[in-house]
Structure formats: structure tokens, C-alpha cells
Amino acid sequence: MALPAAPHSHARLVVVQPLKRKRCAGCRRGPLSLLMLEDGAPRCLDCADLGHLVFLPRGDTALTRRAREESTLSAVVVRFNRRKSRYERQGVLVEEAALDRAETRCLADAEARRRRRARDARRRAAEDERFAAAFAGEILRLFPGCAAERARAIAAHASVRGSGRVGRSAGGRALTEGAVIAAVVAGVRHVDTPYDQLLMSGVPRYEARRRIAPTVESVLRGWREAGEDAG
């Protein structure tokens, strides 16, 4: 049975992965894992003068592009998909030295990306540290009776990058009074009251908050009034 007509490709050599066992029309070797169609007849890669090329499977777009750029001679490898009635690209054939050079270029890029990620991580860490310090300073301004260590802990928790907590909201980033107070209330709720235990025992959230509200207000009032007494 004849092979389906190979896809037309401008300025590209096309090599086929056959679905059935085929022998070379020239040297009669076979079965062939890869072949090239010449005037409808299958030729092995050696007879087609492509035997020195190596196969690079599809999947890494950057490596494929660079390997073809580096290779004087290359070919597209395709396989016929019976269900879709069309040829589909499987990879490329390129010179081995070209593939080596392309891999070296990609590795250099990967190292550059790693270094850039490390620089970005250091920059973000410095930004987060400055933001948490500013957040803690604002807590101490509003609640001067709060211990500095406690203020830093509340600020660090509220401002974790990507957490979605109040410190990362628009108001939190702007250090608005409402956002800062909300972060402090949350910190007091979880540390200074039995709120978490109430939730674990099955008490609904709104009811649990109602029960611990007097304790939260007492702690906040104490932190506020401590500054007034000092003044």
C-alpha cells in the first residue's frame, strides 16, 4: 500500500516516520524507522544523504529553533495520523554539532534566568522587609502600648506576599488606618482569645467572633491607652 502523500513544505526537507514496515527503494534496507519520499518511493536516510543527522523530538521550542539555526542541513520529521487524516510534526533532524551548540545556548539562557530569578527574589525580600517594618511602625503609632516584637509579628503575618491577607490589599499596601487596625484585630483574635478553639469545637464563625469581641476590644483599648498614659 502506498504511503500518503507527504505534506508540502516550502524550503524544508520532510522526513516521514512510517506507520507500516517499509524498505528503502535504493539499498533495500528495512524496516525503516525514518524515510524520505523521492518520486513516491521510500528512501532511507543514508540513501537520501541525511544519515549523519540526529533526531530532536518536538517539545522544546527554543532548543528546536536554535538547533535549526545552527544546522546547515535540517529536515522536519512527520507522522501520519489516521484518525485526523493528516501528517503531524514529530521533531526535526539536525547536525549533531549544531544540536550541541544549541543546547549550550539554551543552558546559558537557563543560567541567566536562574540568576535573574535569584536577583528578583532578593529584591522582593528587601521590599517585603521594608514594607513589614513600615506596617509595624504604623501599628505602634496607632497602638503605642503594643510590644514592638508583637507589632513586628502581626505585620509580618499580615503582609506575606501572595497570601491575600489584609496587608496585601490595596488599603494594606497604602498603610491605611482601617487596614492596619484590621490586621491588629485579626492578630489579637487568634493569639489573645479562644477564637480558634471555638471554631474547632464547631461554633459558627460569627458567633465565635461575637463571644470573643469583648476580649479583643479590651486588648486594643489597653494598647491605645498605654500611649495616652505615657503622653
Side-chain angles (χ1 to χ4, degrees):
M1 180 179 178
L3 285 165
H8 180 68
S9 182
H10 292 288
R12 290 186 182 181
L13 299 175
V14 177
V15 169
V16 177
Q17 286 183 346
L19 300 179
K20 295 187 177 181
R21 297 164 66 89
K22 296 291 178 180
R23 291 187 175 276
C24 176
C27 67
R28 304 306 301 166
R29 281 193 302 168
L32 302 176
S33 59
L34 294 172
L35 60 86
M36 191 170 184
L37 291 173
E38 290 184 344
D39 298 325
R43 302 280 179 176
C44 69
L45 296 188
D46 286 334
C47 288
D49 296 327
L50 302 178
H52 63 296
L53 302 182
V54 295
F55 178 58
L56 173 60
R58 67 181 181 181
D60 190 326
T61 304
L63 181 60
T64 297
R65 174 175 53 80
R66 286 175 171 171
R68 296 195 66 221
E69 290 172 354
E70 294 283 351
S71 190
T72 304
L73 182 65
S74 65
V76 177
V77 177
V78 298
R79 183 171 60 207
F80 191 71
N81 185 321
R82 287 196 179 104
R83 183 172 61 85
K84 297 180 180 179
S85 298
R86 70 185 185 198
Y87 278 95
E88 295 180 340
R89 183 172 176 151
Q90 304 301 309
V92 293
L93 292 174
V94 294
E95 296 162 344
E96 189 168 6
L99 179 55
D100 289 341
R101 291 192 295 271
E103 287 174 337
T104 299
R105 290 171 60 188
C106 287
L107 286 173
D109 277 359
E111 176 62 15
R113 287 194 296 271
R114 185 192 67 77
R115 291 179 180 177
R116 184 166 59 248
R117 285 195 298 269
R119 289 196 302 271
D120 290 344
R122 289 193 295 269
R123 174 183 54 77
R124 287 193 297 270
E127 291 174 352
D128 291 348
E129 187 174 343
R130 289 192 295 270
F131 177 68
F135 203 100
E138 192 63 13
I139 291 174
L140 292 174
R141 185 185 71 81
L142 294 171
F143 301 96
C146 178
E149 184 177 348
R150 183 69 184 279
R152 287 193 294 269
I154 293 173
H157 180 78
S159 60
V160 172
R161 186 182 293 268
S163 65
R165 295 171 187 153
V166 66
R168 284 296 167 181
S169 65
R173 290 195 300 272
L175 296 178
T176 64
E177 184 172 309
V180 174
I181 292 175
V184 174
V185 168
V188 170
R189 183 185 296 135
H190 290 287
V191 175
D192 301 287
T193 77
Y195 179 68
D196 292 349
Q197 292 90 327
L198 290 172
L199 293 181
M200 289 297 292
S201 67
V203 176
R205 181 167 62 91
Y206 290 110
E207 173 61 18
R209 288 194 175 192
R210 187 191 65 77
R211 293 185 191 182
I212 57 95
T215 304
V216 172
E217 183 53 39
S218 176
V219 172
L220 298 184
R221 184 169 57 251
W223 286 354
R224 288 193 187 99
E225 292 174 354
E228 294 172 359
D229 293 342

CSV table of all heavy atoms in Angstrom, one decimal, residues 127-143 146 148 150-160 165-185 187:
chain,number,residue,atom,x,y,z
A,127,GLU,N,12.1,44.4,49.6
A,127,GLU,CA,10.9,45.2,49.6
A,127,GLU,C,10.0,44.7,50.7
A,127,GLU,O,9.3,45.6,51.4
A,127,GLU,CB,10.2,45.1,48.2
A,127,GLU,CG,11.0,45.7,47.1
A,127,GLU,CD,10.4,45.5,45.7
A,127,GLU,OE1,9.4,44.6,45.7
A,127,GLU,OE2,10.8,46.1,44.7
A,128,ASP,N,9.8,43.4,50.8
A,128,ASP,CA,8.9,42.9,51.9
A,128,ASP,C,9.4,43.3,53.3
A,128,ASP,O,8.6,43.6,54.1
A,128,ASP,CB,8.8,41.4,51.8
A,128,ASP,CG,8.1,40.9,50.5
A,128,ASP,OD1,7.5,41.8,49.8
A,128,ASP,OD2,8.2,39.7,50.2
A,129,GLU,N,10.7,43.3,53.5
A,129,GLU,CA,11.2,43.6,54.8
A,129,GLU,C,10.9,45.1,55.1
A,129,GLU,O,10.5,45.4,56.2
A,129,GLU,CB,12.7,43.4,54.8
A,129,GLU,CG,13.3,43.5,56.2
A,129,GLU,CD,14.8,43.1,56.2
A,129,GLU,OE1,15.2,42.4,55.3
A,129,GLU,OE2,15.5,43.5,57.2
A,130,ARG,N,11.1,46.0,54.1
A,130,ARG,CA,10.8,47.4,54.3
A,130,ARG,C,9.4,47.6,54.5
A,130,ARG,O,9.0,48.4,55.4
A,130,ARG,CB,11.3,48.2,53.1
A,130,ARG,CG,12.8,48.3,52.9
A,130,ARG,CD,13.2,49.4,51.9
A,130,ARG,NE,12.8,49.0,50.6
A,130,ARG,CZ,13.5,48.3,49.7
A,130,ARG,NH1,14.7,47.9,50.1
A,130,ARG,NH2,13.0,48.0,48.5
A,131,PHE,N,8.5,46.9,53.8
A,131,PHE,CA,7.1,47.1,53.9
A,131,PHE,C,6.6,46.6,55.3
A,131,PHE,O,5.8,47.3,56.0
A,131,PHE,CB,6.3,46.3,52.8
A,131,PHE,CG,4.8,46.4,53.0
A,131,PHE,CD1,4.2,47.6,52.8
A,131,PHE,CD2,4.1,45.3,53.3
A,131,PHE,CE1,2.8,47.6,52.9
A,131,PHE,CE2,2.7,45.3,53.4
A,131,PHE,CZ,2.1,46.5,53.2
A,132,ALA,N,7.1,45.5,55.7
A,132,ALA,CA,6.7,44.9,57.1
A,132,ALA,C,7.2,45.9,58.2
A,132,ALA,O,6.4,46.1,59.1
A,132,ALA,CB,7.3,43.5,57.3
A,133,ALA,N,8.3,46.5,58.0
A,133,ALA,CA,8.8,47.4,59.0
A,133,ALA,C,7.9,48.7,59.1
A,133,ALA,O,7.6,49.2,60.1
A,133,ALA,CB,10.3,47.8,58.7
A,134,ALA,N,7.5,49.2,57.9
A,134,ALA,CA,6.6,50.3,57.8
A,134,ALA,C,5.3,50.0,58.4
A,134,ALA,O,4.6,50.8,59.2
A,134,ALA,CB,6.5,50.8,56.4
A,135,PHE,N,4.8,48.7,58.2
A,135,PHE,CA,3.5,48.3,58.7
A,135,PHE,C,3.6,48.2,60.2
A,135,PHE,O,2.7,48.6,60.9
A,135,PHE,CB,3.2,46.9,58.1
A,135,PHE,CG,1.7,46.6,58.1
A,135,PHE,CD1,0.9,46.7,57.0
A,135,PHE,CD2,1.1,46.1,59.3
A,135,PHE,CE1,-0.4,46.4,57.0
A,135,PHE,CE2,-0.3,45.8,59.3
A,135,PHE,CZ,-1.0,46.0,58.1
A,136,ALA,N,4.7,47.6,60.7
A,136,ALA,CA,4.8,47.5,62.2
A,136,ALA,C,4.9,48.9,62.8
A,136,ALA,O,4.4,49.2,63.9
A,136,ALA,CB,6.1,46.8,62.5
A,137,GLY,N,5.6,49.9,62.1
A,137,GLY,CA,5.7,51.2,62.7
A,137,GLY,C,4.3,51.9,62.8
A,137,GLY,O,4.0,52.6,63.7
A,138,GLU,N,3.4,51.6,61.8
A,138,GLU,CA,2.1,52.2,61.8
A,138,GLU,C,1.3,51.5,62.9
A,138,GLU,O,0.4,52.2,63.6
A,138,GLU,CB,1.4,51.9,60.5
A,138,GLU,CG,0.1,52.7,60.2
A,138,GLU,CD,0.4,54.2,60.2
A,138,GLU,OE1,1.5,54.7,60.2
A,138,GLU,OE2,-0.7,55.0,60.3
A,139,ILE,N,1.5,50.2,63.2
A,139,ILE,CA,0.8,49.6,64.3
A,139,ILE,C,1.2,50.2,65.6
A,139,ILE,O,0.3,50.6,66.4
A,139,ILE,CB,1.1,48.1,64.3
A,139,ILE,CG1,0.5,47.3,63.1
A,139,ILE,CG2,0.7,47.4,65.6
A,139,ILE,CD1,1.0,45.9,63.0
A,140,LEU,N,2.5,50.5,65.8
A,140,LEU,CA,2.9,51.1,67.0
A,140,LEU,C,2.4,52.6,67.2
A,140,LEU,O,2.2,53.1,68.3
A,140,LEU,CB,4.4,51.1,67.1
A,140,LEU,CG,5.0,49.7,67.2
A,140,LEU,CD1,6.5,49.7,67.2
A,140,LEU,CD2,4.6,49.0,68.6
A,141,ARG,N,2.2,53.2,66.0
A,141,ARG,CA,1.7,54.6,66.1
A,141,ARG,C,0.2,54.6,66.6
A,141,ARG,O,-0.2,55.4,67.4
A,141,ARG,CB,1.8,55.3,64.7
A,141,ARG,CG,1.3,56.7,64.7
A,141,ARG,CD,1.3,57.3,63.3
A,141,ARG,NE,0.2,56.8,62.5
A,141,ARG,CZ,-1.1,57.2,62.6
A,141,ARG,NH1,-1.4,58.2,63.5
A,141,ARG,NH2,-2.0,56.7,61.8
A,142,LEU,N,-0.5,53.6,66.1
A,142,LEU,CA,-2.0,53.5,66.4
A,142,LEU,C,-2.1,52.9,67.8
A,142,LEU,O,-3.1,53.2,68.5
A,142,LEU,CB,-2.7,52.8,65.4
A,142,LEU,CG,-2.8,53.4,64.0
A,142,LEU,CD1,-3.4,52.5,63.0
A,142,LEU,CD2,-3.6,54.7,64.1
A,143,PHE,N,-1.3,51.9,68.1
A,143,PHE,CA,-1.4,51.2,69.4
A,143,PHE,C,0.0,51.2,70.1
A,143,PHE,O,0.7,50.2,70.1
A,143,PHE,CB,-1.8,49.7,69.1
A,143,PHE,CG,-3.1,49.6,68.4
A,143,PHE,CD1,-3.1,49.5,67.0
A,143,PHE,CD2,-4.3,49.6,69.1
A,143,PHE,CE1,-4.3,49.3,66.3
A,143,PHE,CE2,-5.5,49.5,68.4
A,143,PHE,CZ,-5.5,49.4,67.0
A,146,CYS,N,1.3,48.4,72.3
A,146,CYS,CA,1.7,47.1,71.8
A,146,CYS,C,3.2,46.9,71.8
A,146,CYS,O,3.9,47.8,71.4
A,146,CYS,CB,1.1,47.0,70.3
A,146,CYS,SG,1.5,45.4,69.5
A,148,ALA,N,6.8,46.0,70.7
A,148,ALA,CA,7.4,46.1,69.4
A,148,ALA,C,7.5,44.7,68.7
A,148,ALA,O,7.3,44.6,67.5
A,148,ALA,CB,8.8,46.8,69.5
A,150,ARG,N,5.6,42.2,69.2
A,150,ARG,CA,4.3,41.7,68.8
A,150,ARG,C,3.9,42.5,67.5
A,150,ARG,O,3.2,41.9,66.6
A,150,ARG,CB,3.3,42.0,69.9
A,150,ARG,CG,1.9,41.5,69.6
A,150,ARG,CD,1.8,40.0,69.6
A,150,ARG,NE,0.5,39.6,69.2
A,150,ARG,CZ,-0.6,39.5,70.1
A,150,ARG,NH1,-0.4,39.9,71.4
A,150,ARG,NH2,-1.8,39.1,69.7
A,151,ALA,N,4.2,43.8,67.4
A,151,ALA,CA,3.8,44.5,66.2
A,151,ALA,C,4.5,44.0,65.0
A,151,ALA,O,3.9,43.9,63.9
A,151,ALA,CB,4.2,46.0,66.5
A,152,ARG,N,5.8,43.6,65.2
A,152,ARG,CA,6.5,43.1,64.0
A,152,ARG,C,5.9,41.7,63.6
A,152,ARG,O,5.8,41.4,62.4
A,152,ARG,CB,8.0,42.9,64.4
A,152,ARG,CG,8.8,44.2,64.4
A,152,ARG,CD,10.3,44.0,64.5
A,152,ARG,NE,10.7,43.3,65.7
A,152,ARG,CZ,11.0,44.0,66.8
A,152,ARG,NH1,11.0,45.3,66.8
A,152,ARG,NH2,11.4,43.3,67.9
A,153,ALA,N,5.5,40.9,64.6
A,153,ALA,CA,4.9,39.6,64.2
A,153,ALA,C,3.6,39.8,63.5
A,153,ALA,O,3.3,39.1,62.5
A,153,ALA,CB,4.7,38.8,65.5
A,154,ILE,N,2.7,40.7,63.9
A,154,ILE,CA,1.4,41.0,63.3
A,154,ILE,C,1.7,41.5,61.9
A,154,ILE,O,1.0,41.1,60.9
A,154,ILE,CB,0.6,42.0,64.1
A,154,ILE,CG1,0.2,41.4,65.4
A,154,ILE,CG2,-0.6,42.5,63.3
A,154,ILE,CD1,-0.5,42.4,66.4
A,155,ALA,N,2.6,42.4,61.7
A,155,ALA,CA,2.9,43.0,60.4
A,155,ALA,C,3.5,41.9,59.5
A,155,ALA,O,3.1,41.9,58.3
A,155,ALA,CB,4.0,44.1,60.6
A,156,ALA,N,4.4,41.1,59.9
A,156,ALA,CA,5.0,40.0,59.1
A,156,ALA,C,3.9,39.1,58.6
A,156,ALA,O,3.9,38.7,57.4
A,156,ALA,CB,6.0,39.3,59.9
A,157,HIS,N,3.0,38.7,59.5
A,157,HIS,CA,1.9,37.8,59.1
A,157,HIS,C,0.9,38.4,58.1
A,157,HIS,O,0.5,37.8,57.2
A,157,HIS,CB,1.1,37.3,60.4
A,157,HIS,CG,0.0,36.4,60.1
A,157,HIS,ND1,0.2,35.0,59.9
A,157,HIS,CD2,-1.3,36.6,60.0
A,157,HIS,CE1,-0.9,34.5,59.7
A,157,HIS,NE2,-1.9,35.4,59.7
A,158,ALA,N,0.6,39.7,58.4
A,158,ALA,CA,-0.4,40.3,57.5
A,158,ALA,C,0.1,40.6,56.1
A,158,ALA,O,-0.7,40.8,55.2
A,158,ALA,CB,-0.9,41.6,58.2
A,159,SER,N,1.4,40.8,56.0
A,159,SER,CA,2.0,41.3,54.7
A,159,SER,C,2.7,40.2,53.9
A,159,SER,O,3.5,40.6,53.0
A,159,SER,CB,2.9,42.4,55.0
A,159,SER,OG,4.0,42.0,55.9
A,160,VAL,N,2.5,38.9,54.2
A,160,VAL,CA,3.1,37.9,53.4
A,160,VAL,C,2.7,38.0,51.9
A,160,VAL,O,1.5,38.1,51.6
A,160,VAL,CB,2.8,36.5,53.9
A,160,VAL,CG1,3.3,35.4,53.0
A,160,VAL,CG2,3.4,36.3,55.3
A,165,ARG,N,-3.8,38.4,52.5
A,165,ARG,CA,-4.2,38.9,53.7
A,165,ARG,C,-4.3,40.5,53.6
A,165,ARG,O,-3.9,41.1,52.6
A,165,ARG,CB,-3.2,38.5,54.8
A,165,ARG,CG,-3.2,37.0,55.1
A,165,ARG,CD,-2.0,36.6,55.9
A,165,ARG,NE,-1.9,35.2,56.0
A,165,ARG,CZ,-0.8,34.5,56.2
A,165,ARG,NH1,0.3,35.1,56.4
A,165,ARG,NH2,-0.9,33.2,56.3
A,166,VAL,N,-4.8,41.1,54.7
A,166,VAL,CA,-5.1,42.5,54.7
A,166,VAL,C,-3.9,43.3,54.3
A,166,VAL,O,-4.1,44.4,53.7
A,166,VAL,CB,-5.7,42.9,56.0
A,166,VAL,CG1,-4.7,42.8,57.2
A,166,VAL,CG2,-6.3,44.3,55.9
A,167,GLY,N,-2.7,42.9,54.7
A,167,GLY,CA,-1.5,43.7,54.4
A,167,GLY,C,-1.2,43.8,53.0
A,167,GLY,O,-0.5,44.7,52.5
A,168,ARG,N,-1.8,42.8,52.2
A,168,ARG,CA,-1.5,42.8,50.7
A,168,ARG,C,-2.7,43.4,49.9
A,168,ARG,O,-2.7,43.4,48.7
A,168,ARG,CB,-1.2,41.4,50.3
A,168,ARG,CG,0.2,41.0,50.6
A,168,ARG,CD,1.2,41.8,49.9
A,168,ARG,NE,2.5,41.6,50.4
A,168,ARG,CZ,3.6,42.2,50.0
A,168,ARG,NH1,3.5,43.1,49.0
A,168,ARG,NH2,4.8,42.0,50.5
A,169,SER,N,-3.7,43.9,50.7
A,169,SER,CA,-4.8,44.5,50.0
A,169,SER,C,-4.4,45.9,49.6
A,169,SER,O,-3.3,46.4,50.0
A,169,SER,CB,-6.0,44.6,50.9
A,169,SER,OG,-5.7,45.5,52.0
A,170,ALA,N,-5.2,46.6,48.8
A,170,ALA,CA,-4.9,47.9,48.4
A,170,ALA,C,-4.7,48.9,49.6
A,170,ALA,O,-3.8,49.7,49.6
A,170,ALA,CB,-6.0,48.5,47.4
A,171,GLY,N,-5.6,48.7,50.5
A,171,GLY,CA,-5.5,49.5,51.7
A,171,GLY,C,-4.3,49.2,52.6
A,171,GLY,O,-3.7,50.1,53.1
A,172,GLY,N,-4.0,47.9,52.6
A,172,GLY,CA,-2.8,47.5,53.4
A,172,GLY,C,-1.5,48.0,52.7
A,172,GLY,O,-0.6,48.5,53.5
A,173,ARG,N,-1.4,48.0,51.4
A,173,ARG,CA,-0.2,48.5,50.8
A,173,ARG,C,-0.1,50.0,51.0
A,173,ARG,O,1.0,50.5,51.0
A,173,ARG,CB,-0.3,48.2,49.3
A,173,ARG,CG,-0.1,46.7,49.0
A,173,ARG,CD,0.2,46.4,47.5
A,173,ARG,NE,-0.8,46.9,46.6
A,173,ARG,CZ,-1.9,46.2,46.3
A,173,ARG,NH1,-2.0,45.0,46.7
A,173,ARG,NH2,-2.8,46.7,45.5
A,174,ALA,N,-1.2,50.7,51.1
A,174,ALA,CA,-1.2,52.1,51.3
A,174,ALA,C,-1.1,52.4,52.8
A,174,ALA,O,-1.1,53.6,53.2
A,174,ALA,CB,-2.5,52.7,50.8
A,175,LEU,N,-1.1,51.4,53.7
A,175,LEU,CA,-1.0,51.6,55.1
A,175,LEU,C,-2.1,52.5,55.7
A,175,LEU,O,-1.9,53.3,56.5
A,175,LEU,CB,0.4,52.2,55.5
A,175,LEU,CG,1.6,51.3,55.2
A,175,LEU,CD1,2.9,52.1,55.6
A,175,LEU,CD2,1.5,50.0,55.9
A,176,THR,N,-3.3,52.2,55.1
A,176,THR,CA,-4.5,53.0,55.6
A,176,THR,C,-4.8,52.5,57.1
A,176,THR,O,-4.5,51.4,57.4
A,176,THR,CB,-5.7,52.8,54.8
A,176,THR,OG1,-6.1,51.4,54.8
A,176,THR,CG2,-5.5,53.2,53.3
A,177,GLU,N,-5.4,53.4,57.8
A,177,GLU,CA,-5.7,53.1,59.2
A,177,GLU,C,-6.6,51.9,59.4
A,177,GLU,O,-6.4,51.0,60.2
A,177,GLU,CB,-6.3,54.3,59.9
A,177,GLU,CG,-6.5,54.1,61.4
A,177,GLU,CD,-6.9,55.4,62.1
A,177,GLU,OE1,-6.2,56.4,61.9
A,177,GLU,OE2,-8.0,55.4,62.8
A,178,GLY,N,-7.6,51.8,58.5
A,178,GLY,CA,-8.5,50.7,58.5
A,178,GLY,C,-7.9,49.4,58.3
A,178,GLY,O,-8.1,48.4,59.0
A,179,ALA,N,-6.9,49.3,57.4
A,179,ALA,CA,-6.3,48.1,57.1
A,179,ALA,C,-5.3,47.7,58.2
A,179,ALA,O,-5.3,46.5,58.6
A,179,ALA,CB,-5.5,48.2,55.8
A,180,VAL,N,-4.7,48.6,58.8
A,180,VAL,CA,-3.8,48.3,59.9
A,180,VAL,C,-4.5,47.8,61.1
A,180,VAL,O,-4.2,46.8,61.7
A,180,VAL,CB,-2.9,49.6,60.3
A,180,VAL,CG1,-2.1,49.3,61.5
A,180,VAL,CG2,-2.0,50.0,59.1
A,181,ILE,N,-5.6,48.5,61.4
A,181,ILE,CA,-6.5,48.1,62.6
A,181,ILE,C,-7.0,46.7,62.3
A,181,ILE,O,-7.0,45.8,63.2
A,181,ILE,CB,-7.6,49.1,62.8
A,181,ILE,CG1,-7.0,50.4,63.3
A,181,ILE,CG2,-8.6,48.5,63.8
A,181,ILE,CD1,-8.1,51.5,63.5
A,182,ALA,N,-7.4,46.4,61.1
A,182,ALA,CA,-8.0,45.0,60.7
A,182,ALA,C,-6.9,44.0,61.0
A,182,ALA,O,-7.2,42.9,61.5
A,182,ALA,CB,-8.4,45.0,59.3
A,183,ALA,N,-5.7,44.3,60.6
A,183,ALA,CA,-4.6,43.3,60.8
A,183,ALA,C,-4.3,43.1,62.3
A,183,ALA,O,-4.1,41.9,62.8
A,183,ALA,CB,-3.3,43.8,60.2
A,184,VAL,N,-4.4,44.1,63.1
A,184,VAL,CA,-4.2,44.0,64.5
A,184,VAL,C,-5.3,43.2,65.2
A,184,VAL,O,-5.1,42.3,66.0
A,184,VAL,CB,-4.1,45.4,65.2
A,184,VAL,CG1,-4.0,45.3,66.7
A,184,VAL,CG2,-2.8,46.1,64.7
A,185,VAL,N,-6.5,43.5,64.8
A,185,VAL,CA,-7.7,42.8,65.3
A,185,VAL,C,-7.6,41.3,65.0
A,185,VAL,O,-7.8,40.4,65.9
A,185,VAL,CB,-9.0,43.3,64.7
A,185,VAL,CG1,-10.2,42.4,65.0
A,185,VAL,CG2,-9.3,44.7,65.3
A,187,GLY,N,-4.8,39.6,64.5
A,187,GLY,CA,-3.8,39.1,65.3
A,187,GLY,C,-4.2,38.8,66.8
A,187,GLY,O,-3.9,37.8,67.3
